[in-house]
Amino acid sequence: MVRLARRLAMRPVLAASALAAALSLGACQDAGFSAAGSARAREPIPQKTVALMTAKNMSPRDPILIRAFKKESEMEVWKRGPDGQYALLKTFPICRWSGQLGPKVREGDRQAPEGFYPIAMGQMNPNSSYYLSFDTGYPNAFDRANGRTGSYLMVHGTCSSAGCFAMTDEAIAEIYAIAREAFAGGQRAFQFQSYPFRMTAQNLAKFRNDPNIGFWKNLKEGSDYFEALHEEPRVGVCGTRYVFGGQDAAAGACSPKVDPVVVAKRQKDEVEVAELVAKGTAATRLVYQDGGQHPYFRETAPSTQLFAEQAQPRPNMGTISRPEALAAAPEEISIEPKVKPVLLAKIDAKHEKGKPGAVKPTALAFAAPATNPAPIPTREAAEAAAAPSAPAGPITVASADGDPAAYRKLLGNLFGGAPAAPPVAAAALPAAESAPVAAISPAAPLPKKVNAHLHTAPTVHPAAANAKADVKTDGLNPAGAKKAEGKPTEGKPTAKSGEVKPAEKASETGKRTEGHGRNRVAASQPGN
């Protein structure tokens, strides 16, 4: 009886310890339970927002699409109208996001994800310990193809983030209600687009030398599609890149046709970026102590023009994660270009000096970017030039139907099971971006990289036809060197000069060392 009493007395202590351990792994691991969750999840859409929908010819049950921007700390809710096009309904200020601008790479880096994520009804959590929440579905097919890890990346209430987008309780309640009505109207999944910043020419010129610029330009392809056509882009994954388009992208095309309106927007943006660079726009990078917050929550008298429907006085923010990091503004540092200047002219002053018409030596200079945009093609010309290419194999489509991770999370939320299977190793970059790859599934390993082995017979010059068979070039047997190409070896020491070991030297010529770079963000405390 004494032992039983001791065990019963230790249960509250053990439960508290388990809760503390769970919270230490990351503030966004929304594994808690709220007794009032069911009532919160049934709250109606605020009347002011319903009136706003009516004024914009929208219905509460029309499909939605959500976009988030880290740098601006804003989250937009769009609704699809009767014409099939999306229009902006409302913009919400983000109360807290953590990490830096850039994608989430690994578990515990405190990075909020960037990319395109389908949100199914099973990812909505009415019993969240952070008031209400929905799971972004990270990692998706693209993240898994790039070997990225992490879990429980949410959009939730309470201004505490360790890789999540934290809204106020009031804001997440309204967003949750809008999404709930869209699901009730028949929408199977809504698209969640997450960006480092608004994809404007000014931002692209400013961050042109950031290490993530290649990934961000890939995201801009999807942003251009949505902003030019106001239609939800179909999203696929080919190799380690996103592809965007219409039905052909959904069908598995790695090079989908691009609408002329989208082409025109991209060309216009490229010209504007070139003009800004030519005018001297500095290439910089923003470094945060740990994420940011919209100025609405910091100003003593915040402007209510953008967020007119927000509660007054300012809504309760709850527990704020790392307030000392929010107190400091991000540091803007200059990034020098990694390329060398282009040599436009070089004059030998020693020989040219004194000659009539001689000019002084000129310094290295950069070629000025073109300011005249290319002509915008017509729809007919674009359709004739961009003939669809039949894929050699299936690709992964980043949608609710093509990504089983969403349904695994649904089952985990319902029955308390484990989340989606852990991500697998990164897939190798294909030989060409337009080449389709096999479907990427969370339950199946990604295709391994295959090195081609080329065996080319050595060409014998007629003049050397009668030469001895053991003639060597630079200490290597040509035939042996050719045979060894494409066969990487590991751990072989390099032969010293003068040693005659053709086999070892031939193997050494084929030696390669590969590695995958990762953008890592230092974290002062653990998290997702």
Side-chain angles (χ1 to χ4, degrees):
M1 292 297 294
V2 176
R3 290 183 179 179
L4 179 59
R6 287 179 180 176
R7 290 179 181 177
L8 294 176
M10 287 296 295
R11 284 185 177 180
V13 178
L14 294 175
S17 300
L19 178 60
L23 292 177
S24 66
L25 294 176
C28 292
Q29 290 204 4
D30 192 6
F33 178 84
S34 172
S38 299
R40 295 169 180 170
R42 294 194 298 268
E43 287 292 324
I45 301 175
Q47 287 300 318
K48 287 185 177 180
T49 303
V50 174
L52 185 62
M53 291 180 185
T54 303
K56 295 187 176 185
N57 195 25
M58 301 172 179
S59 167
R61 296 202 168 186
D62 286 338
I64 67 170
L65 183 147
I66 297 180
R67 304 203 303 171
F69 306 92
K70 290 182 180 177
K71 177 176 173 287
E72 293 80 7
S73 295
E74 293 179 351
M75 186 171 293
E76 299 175 341
V77 176
W78 293 66
K79 265 197 168 288
R80 193 176 72 190
D83 58 354
Q85 293 188 331
Y86 282 86
L88 178 62
L89 170 64
K90 194 172 180 180
T91 302
F92 295 86
I94 296 176
C95 192
R96 189 78 170 89
W97 61 272
S98 59
Q100 307 290 329
L101 301 183
K104 182 173 184 61
V105 175
R106 59 179 175 81
E107 184 89 35
D109 61 7
R110 295 186 65 83
Q111 287 289 100
E114 295 174 3
F116 289 72
Y117 299 89
I119 312 299
M121 185 165 55
Q123 294 166 247
M124 310 295 290
N125 187 0
N127 299 314
S128 171
S129 57
Y130 301 108
Y131 201 81
L132 292 168
S133 67
F134 66 82
D135 194 325
T136 62
Y138 177 96
N140 63 8
F142 173 90
D143 301 317
R144 294 193 298 272
N146 285 274
R148 297 174 180 174
T149 60
S151 57
Y152 298 106
L153 279 303
M154 322 289 292
V155 176
H156 59 66
T158 305
C159 293
S160 177
S161 171
C164 296
F165 292 98
M167 317 297 290
T168 61
D169 293 349
E170 178 199 30
I172 191 60
E174 184 170 345
I175 294 173
Y176 194 99
I178 294 173
R180 182 196 64 222
E181 293 304 313
F183 286 129
Q187 186 173 19
R188 296 183 60 186
F190 66 85
Q191 191 173 90
F192 178 70
Q193 304 176 1
S194 178
Y195 299 98
F197 42 72
R198 295 188 180 276
M199 293 294 167
T200 62
Q202 292 77 11
N203 281 331
L204 291 171
K206 184 176 181 179
F207 299 110
R208 64 184 180 272
N209 289 337
D210 191 283
N212 294 303
I213 190 60
F215 170 65
W216 292 341
K217 286 182 177 179
N218 189 201
L219 295 184
K220 184 179 182 296
E221 296 174 14
S223 175
D224 288 342
Y225 186 99
F226 180 74
E227 294 187 358
L229 302 176
H230 286 183
E231 297 176 0
E232 178 181 328
R234 300 297 181 94
V235 186
V237 179
C238 276
T240 54
R241 285 180 55 84
Y242 281 116
V243 290
F244 305 94
Q247 293 298 331
D248 52 348
C254 281
S255 298
K257 293 187 296 183
V258 183
D259 192 281
V261 179
V262 181
V263 173
K265 182 188 185 308
R266 291 178 181 174
Q267 292 178 339
K268 176 179 177 296
D269 290 344
E270 290 171 359
V271 170
E272 190 173 349
V273 169
E275 291 176 347
L276 291 170
V277 173
K279 291 178 182 178
T281 300
T284 62
R285 185 181 184 185
L286 286 181
V287 179
Y288 296 79
Q289 285 196 9
D290 182 32
Q293 181 184 63
H294 195 277
Y296 172 84
F297 301 103
R298 299 194 302 270
E299 297 174 356
T300 55
S303 171
T304 58
Q305 182 177 359
L306 184 60
F307 312 113
E309 292 81 16
Q310 294 293 314
Q312 295 295 328
R314 190 186 291 109
N316 180 25
M317 291 184 286
T319 303
I320 302 176
S321 60
R322 302 190 63 183
E324 74 284 355
L326 287 175
E331 180 183 2
E332 188 169 345
I333 60 175
S334 176
I335 301 181
E336 296 296 332
K338 295 182 180 180
V339 297
K340 294 182 178 180
V342 179
L343 182 62
L344 297 183
K346 183 179 180 181
I347 304 297
D348 192 340
K350 180 178 179 180
H351 295 86
E352 296 295 328
K353 186 176 181 180
K355 289 186 179 181
V359 295
K360 295 182 179 181
T362 58
L364 299 180
F366 288 97
T371 56
N372 295 325
I376 299 175
T378 62
R379 183 183 294 269
E380 291 76 10
E383 292 178 351
S389 58
I395 65 170
T396 299
V397 178
S399 66
D401 295 333
D403 194 348
Y407 298 101
R408 294 193 176 189
K409 295 193 177 204
L410 166 59
L411 296 178
N413 287 339
L414 290 179
F415 304 107
V424 295
L429 186 66
E433 291 182 358
S434 60
V437 300
I440 301 170
S441 170
L446 295 174
K448 297 181 179 179
K449 182 175 180 179
V450 178
N451 293 326
H453 301 274
L454 303 179
H455 302 278
T456 307
T459 303
V460 181
H461 195 278
N466 297 325
K468 293 182 180 181
D470 59 347
V471 174
K472 300 177 177 57
T473 304
D474 295 333
L476 297 177
N477 188 313
K482 287 287 183 179
K483 185 177 181 180
E485 282 185 351
K487 295 183 178 181
T489 60
E490 300 293 340
K492 297 262 187 173
T494 305
K496 296 182 180 179
S497 176
E499 290 185 356
V500 184
K501 293 183 179 181
E504 293 184 4
K505 291 188 177 183
S507 299
E508 186 64 20
T509 60
K511 182 178 179 181
R512 297 180 183 176
T513 303
E514 296 184 354
H516 298 279
R518 287 290 184 268
N519 297 326
R520 300 184 180 276
V521 181
S524 59
Q525 70 179 44
N528 281 335

